[in-house]
Every structure is written in structure tokens, then in C-alpha cells.
Amino acid sequence: SKEKGGNSYHYYHPDMNKRSLHKLNLEIHLRKALERGEFRLLYQPLVDLKNGTIRGMESLVRWQHPEWGMISPAEFIPLAEETGLIVPMGNWILKQACLQNKAWLEQGYNPLCVSVNISAIQFHQPQFVSVIEETLQESGLDPGLLCLEITEGVAMNSGPHVMETMDKLKSLGVRISIDDFGTGYSSLSYLKRFRVHTLKIDQSFIRDVTSDEDNAAIVTALIAMSRQLKITSLAEGVETREQLEFLLAQGCDEIQGYVFSKPVSAQEFEEMIRQNKQL
Ligand code: C2E
Ligand code: CA
Ligand code: CA
Ligand code: CA
């Protein structure tokens, strides 16, 4: 980090100062944001390519600051991870997502699986599995309707602790998705060992899948591999009809992206399922 200097003397750099002040300011506000109820969840549909219907939704957190407006997770999640605030924040997100999914089920909508992003810091907490268990109990949600999105980096770090946690989660009955698949170290033997439910093919491969032959080859191979391993393939960041056609032709199972819907408020999402929105 830029703050590392040891004993060495360095000049005061005005830009650096501004940046660390900004960060400090952000951190102070972030600490208060949870108790002030400034976080909210958006939901983005996950769509079945076989019949064009909504199968589930990914919850994506936003910080609605009273003066600064909407702040993107790319800005505050890294800071939340650095400060450990991601743990209480992540617990709140999990609870919120489960309660919302349960509420929709009780209103009579078709069962949907809600996906929740789990940070590496959360995953490695000794209490992580019991937090999941408690959240399911408190919300009354069927474990099969909760999916934890874990990045390749976390999941493939195959220490004994990771293996144990993954096994416990599987025996709880929750689903596991490998997020941003293709961007980290992939271990195919690992996929076989854990039988994860879904591989989310990273949007960087999808972006120019119709113009870049290499990306097309990678995506084709990932979809074929998923099918062989009986793992659901999901393409992230699908924006165009052309990308959709390509994925359909390759036999991809599910998609997520602006071509169907951007992430929306709970209210707007409910409107979509009420109207049975289809691809
Ligand atoms: P991610 O988990 O890979 O989430 C997908 C991101 O792609 C979201 O950005 C989503 O809005 C965006 N996206 C969806 N469809 C499209 C598309 O068609 N085109 C493009 N260009 N983008 C699309 P978002 O919401 O800004 O989130 C960014 C990242 O922040 C997430 O990446 C995830 O790593 C993190 N994040 C978001 N919510 C949470 C959370 O609740 N907990 C944790 N730990 N991390 C979160
Ligand atoms: Ca995700
Ligand atoms: Ca992703
Ligand atoms: Ca990502």
C-alpha cells in the first residue's frame, strides 16, 4: 500500500494526502452506515435459457449515502474488507436477501434461488457456517433457495479449512456458485470434488465473445465442461442479442445481464416476477 514507508523519509504529496483523507472519511461514514440503515439490496434476474424464465436473482449491495448519493460496491467493498466491516455488513446482506426471498415465496411467487456474494474475509470467519445456519433458521428459507457466490480465488485455495467449510455448507443444503470463473486459478479436480452447483463465466469473456475467437473458444469450452460435470453454466454480463444467440447455440444454461435486466430494486423485481417477464 501507499502508506508503507518504514523509517524512510518521504515528501508530503498533496495528492496522496487527499486520497488517504478521502479514504479515512469514507471509512468513518461506512462504520455508521449500517446502524443508520444506508445499505440496500438490488436484485438482478438470473434467466433460464431453455424457457426464458427467471430462475433466481443475484443480490447486489448499494450504499445510499444521504449527501453523497449512491455509492458503488467497487468503491466500498474493498474498504469494508480491509477494515473487517464486511463481516457485520455481509451478515446483514445475507439476512436481508433470505428474508426477501422468503417473503416472495410466501406471497405465492414461484420458488426462486437468491444468490448472495460472499467475501473471502466472511468465508474464512470461524463462525461462517453457523451464521449461514442461523440466517436460514431465522428467515425460515429453504436452504436450497440460497446460493452462495464464492470467487474462484477463495474456493480454489484448497487448504483443509476451505475443504471443511465447503463440505459443511453442502451438507446444510445450500448451493454454491463459483463467481468470476475463468479469471483465477481453475482446478478441474476441485470442481469434481465439490460438485458446485453453478459456474458463473466471467463477463470479461462474454464482452467480445462474438468478435474475439479466443474468448469464443474459452466460453465454448467452459460450457461444454460444465455440461460434462453436470454443473449449471451461467454467463455473466450478457448485453446483446448476438451474445445471447451465441450462448444459446453453445447450450449455456443461464444468463445474467442487461440484455434481460439491469439490477433493480426489490419493488421493481417483484413487478417483473408478477408479470412473468420472459426473455
Ligand atoms: P459481481 O459479483 O461479479 O457482480 C456482477 C456485476 O456485474 C454487478 O456490478 C452487476 O451490476 C454487473 N452487471 C450485471 N449485468 C451486467 C451487464 O450486462 N453488463 C455490465 N457491464 N455489467 C453487468 P455491481 O453491482 O457494481 O457489483 C460489483 C461487484 O461488487 C460484484 O461483482 C461483487 O464482487 C461486489 N459486490 C456487489 N454486491 C456485493 C455484496 O453484497 N457482497 C459482496 N461481498 N460483494 C458484493
Ligand atoms: Ca457475484
Ligand atoms: Ca461475477
Ligand atoms: Ca466480478
Side-chain angles (χ1 to χ4, degrees):
S1 94
K2 276 107 197 155
E3 284 77 32
K4 270 190 212 146
N7 296 319
S8 68
Y9 177 82
H10 48 88
Y11 291 99
Y12 211 58
H13 193 285
D15 281 349
M16 199 190 277
N17 187 36
K18 222 190 268 170
R19 207 180 312 131
S20 45
L21 259 182
H22 170 71
K23 202 171 142 183
L24 184 65
N25 203 8
L26 204 64
E27 184 182 332
I28 292 168
H29 284 80
L30 196 59
R31 286 189 185 280
K32 296 181 183 149
L34 200 57
E35 50 196 76
R36 292 185 176 167
E38 293 173 0
F39 293 113
R40 64 188 194 110
L41 296 185
L42 298 186
Y43 297 92
Q44 187 177 31
L46 309 180
V47 185
D48 191 319
L49 271 185
K50 278 171 205 78
N51 56 20
T53 62
I54 299 175
R55 289 294 295 272
M57 58 288 190
E58 177 175 7
S59 63
L60 293 156
V61 68
R62 296 292 181 269
W63 179 9
Q64 185 65 49
H65 190 278
E67 291 146 51
W68 306 337
M70 187 89 99
I71 305 166
S72 111
E75 191 158 359
F76 65 87
I77 293 282
L79 186 62
E81 290 179 325
E82 229 175 274
T83 54
L85 285 167
I86 191 70
V87 175
M89 186 192 296
N91 291 347
W92 178 85
I93 291 167
L94 254 169
K95 182 86 176 281
Q96 188 64 26
C98 290
L99 285 172
Q100 179 64 79
N101 198 22
K102 178 70 179 177
W104 279 326
L105 195 67
E106 288 190 331
Q107 286 172 56
Y109 296 111
N110 290 334
L112 298 169
C113 188
V114 67
S115 288
V116 178
N117 289 287
I118 302 296
S119 142
I121 313 279
Q122 273 176 288
F123 186 88
H124 288 114
Q125 288 283 303
Q127 311 90 326
F128 181 63
V129 177
S130 45
V131 165
I132 299 293
E133 217 173 344
E134 280 162 29
T135 308
L136 288 168
Q137 256 158 30
E138 288 167 13
S139 62
L141 185 70
D142 173 349
L145 300 182
L146 172 63
C147 178
L148 306 177
E149 293 200 1
I150 296 166
T151 58
E152 211 181 352
V154 175
M156 303 299 169
N157 171 349
S158 58
H161 167 73
V162 172
M163 303 263 189
E164 204 184 301
T165 304
M166 293 292 275
D167 282 337
K168 283 185 188 161
L169 291 172
K170 286 225 84 176
S171 53
L172 278 184
V174 298
R175 293 180 173 184
I176 309 270
S177 281
I178 304 297
D179 205 356
D180 303 343
F181 194 77
T183 61
Y185 305 94
S186 345
S187 159
L188 304 183
S189 59
Y190 176 97
L191 291 178
K192 213 178 149 200
R193 159 91 169 74
F194 285 106
R195 290 285 163 199
V196 300
H197 190 270
T198 306
L199 280 191
K200 298 192 76 172
I201 304 170
D202 192 66
Q203 55 187 58
S204 60
F205 299 112
I206 307 299
R207 196 169 300 131
D208 47 8
V209 76
T210 53
S211 58
D212 182 311
E213 284 178 16
D214 293 339
N215 281 350
I218 292 169
V219 171
T220 302
L222 290 179
I223 293 169
M225 180 190 75
S226 302
R227 189 185 307 118
Q228 291 294 315
L229 294 172
K230 299 189 169 60
I231 296 171
T232 299
S233 54
L234 184 153
E236 297 190 297
V238 182
E239 295 183 349
T240 68
R241 221 59 217 184
E242 289 71 31
Q243 291 166 344
L244 200 61
E245 297 301 332
F246 176 86
L247 294 162
L248 205 55
Q250 298 308 319
C252 185
D253 297 310
E254 297 180 9
I255 63 112
Q256 171 179 9
Y258 300 165
V259 73
F260 188 82
S261 168
K262 64 185 202 311
V264 295
S265 69
Q267 207 180 355
E268 290 168 286
F269 185 82
E270 185 172 336
E271 192 55 26
M272 274 195 260
I273 52 175
R274 207 171 57 76
Q275 296 184 350
N276 240 313
K277 181 178 158 114
Q278 285 193 303
L279 247 181

